Amino acid sequence: MVVACGVFDALANVFIQTGLHSSTAPSTLPVISVLNALYPIGTVVLAGIVLRERLAVLQAVGIGLALTASVTLALA
């Protein structure tokens, strides 16, 4: 399990670096930065699935708003 976590963490870093260096368009950095900032959502979702933790209403609203903002940014 620890090895798998390390591999996924390394892959995430590779994907972020690839995304940042793959384009010279000025809009690439803001989009990737916002998407990178969404990584805590994965932790919260996994805690709900694996550890059966419950989301508070405020957390669910925050996740919804963050995802909505990301989609809006992608469409802009």
Side-chain angles (χ1 to χ4, degrees), residues 10-22:
L11 281 174
N13 288 324
V14 167
F15 289 141
I16 289 169
Q17 290 299 318
T18 303
L20 287 172
H21 295 289
S22 66

Side-chain angles (χ1 to χ4, degrees), residues 14-62:
V14 167
F15 289 141
I16 289 169
Q17 290 299 318
T18 303
L20 287 172
H21 295 289
S22 66
S23 174
T24 58
S27 61
T28 303
L29 180 62
V31 171
I32 291 185
S33 297
V34 169
L35 293 176
N36 187 37
L38 294 176
Y39 80 89
I41 292 175
T43 304
V44 171
V45 170
L46 281 174
I49 293 170
V50 175
L51 301 175
R52 306 276 188 229
E53 290 186 11
R54 291 185 178 179
L55 279 180
V57 174
L58 191 58
Q59 287 174 313
V61 169

